Amino acid sequence: MEDPARTAGTDADTGPEAPGGARGRVVFVGAGPGAADLLTLRAARAIAEADIVIWAASLVHEDVLEHAAEGAEIVDSAKLPMEGVMPYYERAAREGLQVARIHSGDPSLWGAVQEQFDQCERMGLDTEIIPGVPAFSAVAAIAGRELTIPEVAQSVVLTRLGGGKTPMPEGEEVREFARHGTTMALFLSAARSGQLQTELLEGGYPEDTPCVVAYQATWPDELIARCTLGELEATIKEHRLWKHTLVLVGPALNAGGTRSHLYHPGHFHGYRRADRDARRALRASRAGS
C-alpha cells in the first residue's frame, strides 16, 4: 500500500516539500528580560529574517519588534492557546516560511518551549532554540551583585513557589531548597508573597537575609527594591507587585571582602604561572581555613 504521507508530498525524514523546495523553519528566540538591546546578535538576526514573528505582548516588550523585517507578519500570541499558534507552524511547513517564536527570558526556563519544539519536529520543520539573557542574571547585574561569592555561596537555585497553575514535583518545595542557605532566584511567586516569605524562613534563612525584588527588570518602568527576608512580604505588597517580578535571596547579596583564587597570583593555570611566594601564602590560607 502506498504511504499516504508520501502521496501528500511529505517525507517522514526530510519533512514537507514546500514550493521551490524550501523547507519551513521555526526558531525559538530568547528575548531576555525585556530590553531590546539585550537580545543576542543571533536572536536579532533570526527575528529580522523571519516571515512570521510570534510574540506575547503580555510577556515580551514591544521594542523587540524593532528587529522584525518591514513586511513580516506580526502575531500577538497573548490570547492564543497552543492550538492557536500551531496553524502558523503548519503554514510554515507548507509554504517553506521562517517563523521566529519569541519567548521572554531564556527559553529553557518556564517557557513551554519543549511541547512546541516537539510538535515542530513532528511536522518536519527545521528547528532551533536561541538562548536569551536570563532574568535572574539581569537582576543581579542591575543590583551590582555577583551571586556566587567565594566562601559564602557557590550555587544558585532557580525555582518557583508551589501551588500555582503548574504543580510542583514532590521534593521541590521552596522550604526544602532554602535549607541549602545559598543564593535563590524565585520566579512566578510574588502573588503569594506571604507564603514565599514563610517557606524561606521555615527553610532556615535568618530574617536579616538580604533580598532583591525586581519588577520588569530592564523595562522602562523597572522597579528594584532591596529589603531583608523579614520585610519581603511587606515590600512586595507595598509596591503592589504580583506578576513580572523576580526575587533574589541569599547571603551573597550583601557579602564582600572575600577573594576568588582564580585571579590570585598564587593560582596557576594553562596560561599563567603562579608566583612562588604567593603560592605558599595561598596554601597556608587554605590550611588555616
Side-chain angles (χ1 to χ4, degrees), residues 93 120 147 226 239 254-255 269:
C120 289
L147 303 182
R226 296 173 183 266
H239 296 287
N254 67 0
H269 53 65

Side-chain angles (χ1 to χ4, degrees), residues 24-30 40 42-43 45-47 49 98-103 107 113 116-117 120-121 125-131:
R25 178 176 173 81
V26 175
V27 182
F28 297 95
V29 178
T40 65
R42 184 178 297 183
R45 185 168 62 248
I47 295 171
E49 294 174 351
Q98 176 156 321
V99 177
R101 176 66 163 103
I102 304 176
H103 283 264
V113 167
Q116 298 178 74
F117 186 90
C120 289
E121 289 211 316
L125 287 156
D126 282 336
T127 51
E128 181 183 1
I129 298 176
I130 299 176

Side-chain angles (χ1 to χ4, degrees), residues 3 13 18 29 92 145 212 251-252:
D3 185 342
D13 295 323
V29 178
R145 298 304 310 176
V212 174

Side-chain angles (χ1 to χ4, degrees), residues 17 19 88 115 135 144 147 153 157 203 207 214 231 244 249 258 273 283:
E17 295 179 6
Y88 294 99
E115 57 197 68
L147 303 182
V157 177
E207 286 202 2
E231 303 164 334
H244 302 310
V249 58
T258 61
R273 291 185 176 183
R283 286 176 173 171

Side-chain angles (χ1 to χ4, degrees), residues 179-263:
R179 299 189 195 285
H180 295 285
T182 189
T183 308
M184 289 182 67
L186 296 130
F187 298 73
L188 308 169
S189 302
R192 286 163 293 135
S193 57
Q195 179 187 348
L196 178 62
Q197 178 175 313
T198 297
E199 291 203 24
L200 289 168
L201 289 170
E202 289 177 350
Y205 284 115
E207 286 202 2
D208 62 354
T209 302
C211 299
V212 174
V213 179
Y215 168 76
Q216 296 201 155
T218 80
W219 292 47
D221 58 344
E222 77 173 15
L223 183 150
I224 307 295
R226 296 173 183 266
C227 63
T228 64
L229 179 52
E231 303 164 334
L232 181 61
E233 179 183 6
T235 299
I236 291 175
K237 288 183 176 179
E238 176 189 352
H239 296 287
R240 299 181 181 180
L241 305 178
W242 60 278
K243 62 179 182 178
H244 302 310
T245 301
L246 174 73
V247 176
L248 297 178
V249 58
L253 296 175
N254 67 0
T258 61
R259 180 170 183 177
S260 168
H261 291 172
L262 179 60
Y263 296 108

